[in-house]
Amino acid sequence: MLRYLPFLLIIALTIYTFIDCLNTPEEEVRHLPKVVWVIIILVFSIVGPVVWLFAGKKRQGVGGGRPGRTQWVAPDDNPEFLKSLREEQESREKREKRDEKDKDQ
């Protein structure tokens, strides 16, 4: 069983890099067109996936992701989300007041 492990790892690496390449937007692919990268990954079973991982895609650094960040980390950091919560709470309160007023009449 252990003798099959290298083959399974190579297949897993190839599948992972193939899917990663297909899901990568064209503007993030480096050095070659995306179609050429797919062919390299599939034809050169060990070298192709490794080269894709190191040279084929623009990758962000591990640290220092804060300054260029374009997405919110959590919903409570997103001012638009917080605004929508406030508006929802206000509309709920108005509706409850209106229902109480109608109930009294």
Side-chain angles (χ1 to χ4, degrees), residues 8 15-16 25 27 31 69 72 74:
L8 293 175
I15 291 172
Y16 170 77
E27 60 270 1
H31 305 296
R69 188 177 78 182
W72 303 103

Side-chain angles (χ1 to χ4, degrees), residues 43-72:
V43 171
F44 303 104
S45 65
I46 297 173
V47 176
V50 172
V51 172
W52 165 256
L53 290 174
F54 288 106
K57 180 179 178 180
K58 292 181 186 175
R59 304 207 187 261
Q60 295 178 351
V62 175
R66 288 292 278 194
R69 188 177 78 182
T70 59
Q71 295 179 342
W72 303 103

Side-chain angles (χ1 to χ4, degrees), residues 88-102:
E88 185 178 315
Q89 179 67 26
E90 290 171 0
S91 67
R92 187 178 306 124
E93 289 172 356
K94 286 180 184 178
R95 196 171 41 244
E96 287 174 356
K97 285 181 183 180
R98 187 183 65 227
D99 290 345
E100 285 179 13
K101 193 176 184 180
D102 290 342

